[in-house]
Amino acid sequence: MPRRSDAKNKMIKTALLLFREKGYHGVGLAEILEQSGAPKGSFYHHFPGGKQELALAVLDAANRFMLRLIDNAFENAGTVEAAVDAVIDDIVELAASEKFSLGCPVTSFSVELTREDGEIRKRADTVLRGWVQRMVEQLEPFSPDQDELKRYTEVFRAVLTTIEGGWIVSQIQKSAEPLLIAKQVFRSMDKLQ
Amino acid sequence: MPRRSDAKNKMIKTALLLFREKGYHGVGLAEILEQSGAPKGSFYHHFPGGKQELALAVLDAANRFMLRLIDNAFENAGTVEAAVDAVIDDIVELAASEKFSLGCPVTSFSVELTREDGEIRKRADTVLRGWVQRMVEQLEPFSPDQDELKRYTEVFRAVLTTIEGGWIVSQIQKSAEPLLIAKQVFRSMDKLQ
DNA sequence: TTTATTCTAGGGTGATCACCATAGAATAAC
DNA sequence: GTTATTCTATGGTGATCACCCTAGAATAAA
């Protein structure tokens, strides 16, 4: 059963950009369909669960993108510091190319749905934890001992948190500086102890 | 010209809570009016500029709240570390009491309006800078030299950024831990250098 | 070519969206 | 008490919201 249409992917890609800019509730299905060029009548064929199912698909696409970004950064770096710097630099480059108008591909719209204890929040939680875990996994070939890995887990958690905050503040201030703070955070936590 | 009605304040308080939970676009005026108990017909009397003017008023109220939180924390603390800890603890207590469903009073909804270069984004920018500035001002009576103040400005910026990220991740993970990371960030940046 | 499946065209649902206009009620200043 | 101002009741605007339905087109499997 091969795919005969790329309408679904076009909708997901477009929704990702729009959600990151205006949030989940800030984007209507009409805008997504129009901007993606996808046929209007096919939305509920591809997403029987409606807008929420689309958001879940968007979350998965965003997750794949960020995991690729992490893998790429760690594989092309010789040290942990260089890898973390690369992750942050890549994000800064992305954010700057988007004129600091688009937020984190995951938190920017999932955060609006944190009361209702629904699928979107849970998956966003899993995704965020996965990023930390992936960074730790990328560190294992460098074979630090288990205690060191545990310590880096904490450090990566802090870096990720700072990146999330930096991404938002970058949107507000239209500047790369807040995102770059995550580098300082890593350095100070890495050198210390 | 004394105020004969508290409808305006009730609308602002209610809108602050709803915006923090579901974002700017996630809340309708009808819900705000209903939940605040404010008379329906008086909205555009108090806010001729409509929903955007309400959002600006909400921003100012949120700013006053956070400035009070900062002042209170610094005035009741003997050291910088204790003051920063108090700020974070207060925020954690607030977020926990709200079951981690409500975001930062400023960024949670301003972030949806960062493309259109409007008043809301600009004021949110000013407000965030004001928090850092206020923390530095609260440090001056302890009379560190000018270089030290400049260094603490950087540290406070990092702490604030981590708090912002921690607040969001706390919403996603329904846990206080991400917010508490800001303490580690301060400690490591403070001790180092 | 026939059959089965996947996808789309087109139209329409009630509900909610932000916003507005007007008249009158409530309270203040005089 | 009269005037001026502040506030609210009411009902409405067109637009957009997410969602749904059916018939048929397009493509794959037989």
Side-chain angles (χ1 to χ4, degrees):
Chain A
M1 46 182 132
R3 169 164 297 120
R4 297 183 289 160
S5 160
D6 58 336
K8 189 171 183 176
N9 283 328
K10 287 195 295 183
M11 287 189 269
I12 293 174
K13 282 186 82 169
T14 304
L16 174 56
L17 293 176
L18 290 173
F19 283 165
R20 288 177 59 205
E21 179 192 340
K22 299 190 281 190
Y24 179 81
H25 295 105
V27 186
L29 298 183
E31 189 179 1
I32 296 173
L33 289 234
E34 182 192 8
Q35 195 155 321
S36 69
K40 175 194 172 192
S42 69
F43 180 79
Y44 285 93
H45 171 74
H46 296 292
F47 303 102
K51 195 182 182 183
Q52 291 212 0
E53 185 176 342
L54 169 63
L56 284 175
V58 167
L59 252 174
D60 289 340
N63 186 34
R64 286 191 298 272
F65 173 83
M66 288 298 292
L67 286 178
R68 217 177 314 139
L69 187 150
I70 292 173
D71 288 344
N72 179 68
F74 272 79
E75 284 161 8
N76 297 339
T79 65
V80 196
E81 185 167 359
V84 171
D85 278 6
V87 167
I88 294 167
D89 284 334
D90 285 357
I91 292 175
V92 164
E93 190 181 9
L94 174 68
S97 75
E98 295 161 346
K99 294 177 181 172
F100 304 105
S101 294
L102 281 62
C104 165
V106 165
T107 57
S108 55
F109 61 94
S110 320
V111 82
E112 296 173 32
L113 309 162
T114 53
R115 179 156 214 182
E116 34 188 309
D117 205 63
E119 283 297 318
I120 294 176
R121 187 200 66 81
K122 291 176 188 169
R123 191 166 307 187
D125 186 0
T126 305
V127 166
L128 289 186
R129 293 180 197 276
W131 294 353
V132 174
Q133 190 182 353
R134 178 66 67 101
M135 289 197 281
V136 174
E137 286 169 5
Q138 288 280 10
L139 216 59
E140 283 170 353
F142 293 76
S143 68
D145 57 78
Q146 207 65 19
D147 285 349
E148 189 109 343
L149 280 182
K150 218 161 194 178
R151 198 176 65 83
Y152 270 113
T153 304
E154 294 301 316
V155 175
F156 289 155
R157 262 200 267 266
V159 169
L160 174 63
T161 303
T162 312
I163 287 175
E164 289 294 340
W167 212 323
I168 284 193
V169 182
S170 283
Q171 283 185 264
I172 301 282
Q173 302 194 347
K174 298 284 183 197
S175 157
E177 276 184 43
L179 266 170
L180 293 170
I181 290 176
K183 286 191 183 181
Q184 303 176 35
V185 167
F186 174 78
R187 278 183 176 77
S188 60
M189 292 191 71
D190 192 33
K191 287 177 183 171
L192 203 80
Q193 157 188 17
Chain B
M1 49 183 125
R3 167 164 298 120
R4 296 184 289 158
S5 159
D6 58 336
K8 189 170 181 176
N9 283 327
K10 287 196 294 184
M11 288 188 269
I12 293 174
K13 281 187 82 169
T14 304
L16 174 56
L17 292 176
L18 290 173
F19 283 165
R20 289 177 58 204
E21 178 192 341
K22 300 190 281 190
Y24 178 81
H25 294 105
V27 186
L29 297 183
E31 190 179 2
I32 297 173
L33 289 233
E34 182 191 7
Q35 195 155 323
S36 69
K40 177 192 171 193
S42 68
F43 180 79
Y44 286 93
H45 171 75
H46 296 291
F47 303 103
K51 195 182 182 183
Q52 292 213 359
E53 185 178 342
L54 169 63
L56 283 175
V58 167
L59 251 175
D60 288 340
N63 185 33
R64 285 192 298 272
F65 174 83
M66 289 297 294
L67 286 178
R68 217 177 314 137
L69 188 150
I70 292 172
D71 288 344
N72 179 67
F74 273 78
E75 284 161 7
N76 297 338
T79 66
V80 194
E81 184 167 359
V84 171
D85 278 6
V87 166
I88 295 167
D89 285 334
D90 285 356
I91 292 175
V92 165
E93 191 180 9
L94 173 69
S97 74
E98 295 162 346
K99 294 177 179 170
F100 303 106
S101 293
L102 281 62
C104 165
V106 165
T107 57
S108 55
F109 61 94
S110 320
V111 83
E112 297 174 29
L113 308 161
T114 53
R115 180 156 213 180
E116 33 185 314
D117 205 64
E119 283 296 318
I120 293 176
R121 187 200 66 81
K122 290 177 188 168
R123 191 165 309 188
D125 186 0
T126 305
V127 165
L128 289 187
R129 293 181 197 276
W131 294 352
V132 174
Q133 191 182 352
R134 178 66 67 102
M135 290 197 281
V136 174
E137 287 169 4
Q138 288 280 12
L139 217 60
E140 283 171 352
F142 293 75
S143 67
D145 56 79
Q146 208 64 19
D147 285 350
E148 188 111 342
L149 279 182
K150 217 160 193 177
R151 195 176 67 82
Y152 270 114
T153 303
E154 293 301 315
V155 175
F156 288 155
R157 261 200 266 265
V159 170
L160 174 63
T161 302
T162 313
I163 288 176
E164 289 295 339
W167 211 323
I168 284 192
V169 182
S170 282
Q171 282 185 264
I172 302 281
Q173 302 194 346
K174 298 286 181 196
S175 157
E177 275 183 44
L179 266 170
L180 292 170
I181 290 176
K183 285 190 184 181
Q184 303 176 35
V185 167
F186 174 78
R187 279 183 176 77
S188 61
M189 292 192 73
D190 192 34
K191 287 177 183 170
L192 203 81
Q193 158 190 13

